[in-house]
Amino acid sequence: MIGLVALLAHGLLLLNDGTYWDDWVLQPRLIEGSWSELYNWFSEMGLPVSAYFYWGVKLAGLLGYYQAAAFLLIFFSAVLIYKICLRFTWVNCYEA
C-alpha cells in the first residue's frame, strides 16, 4: 500500500527529465568535469564533502540514475516512518 501511494504521489518524478534549482549550476560542472569550480561552489555553501560525493557519482557513471534513486529514497523513507510509528505505538496499524 505504501508503494502504491508513493508511486501515485511521486511516480512522475521517474518520467521528468527537467533541470531545477541548483542543478542548473551543478549539472554543467559535472558534465564538463570542472572539478575546481565544483569544489569551490560546494565550499562556498559550507559543504565541501558534497563535492567529493558528486564527483564520485560522476566517475561511477551514475548521473543518469538520480531520478530512480530519489524515488527509492522517498519510498524507503515512507516505509521507515511507517515502521517507526508501529514500533513505538504512537499510532495503531490502522492509523499508520
Side-chain angles (χ1 to χ4, degrees), residues 17-95:
D17 63 349
T19 302
Y20 301 101
W21 196 52
D22 57 347
D23 286 344
W24 283 104
V25 179
L26 177 64
Q27 195 173 30
R29 285 171 173 74
L30 288 172
I31 292 171
E32 294 168 4
S34 57
W35 166 247
S36 62
E37 288 183 33
L38 183 71
Y39 184 78
N40 289 336
W41 185 59
F42 278 109
S43 292
E44 289 173 3
M45 290 191 305
L47 302 166
V49 175
S50 294
Y52 295 109
F53 169 76
Y54 282 106
W55 194 255
V57 167
K58 181 194 178 352
L59 290 177
L62 300 175
L63 285 177
Y65 298 103
Y66 268 2
Q67 293 163 322
F71 178 78
L72 289 173
L73 289 171
I74 290 169
F75 171 73
F76 288 125
S77 296
V79 170
L80 183 63
I81 291 169
Y82 176 77
K83 296 288 187 182
I84 289 171
C85 287
L86 289 179
R87 171 95 166 118
F88 291 105
T89 63
W90 292 330
V91 293
N92 62 35
C93 65
Y94 298 108
E95 291 173 337

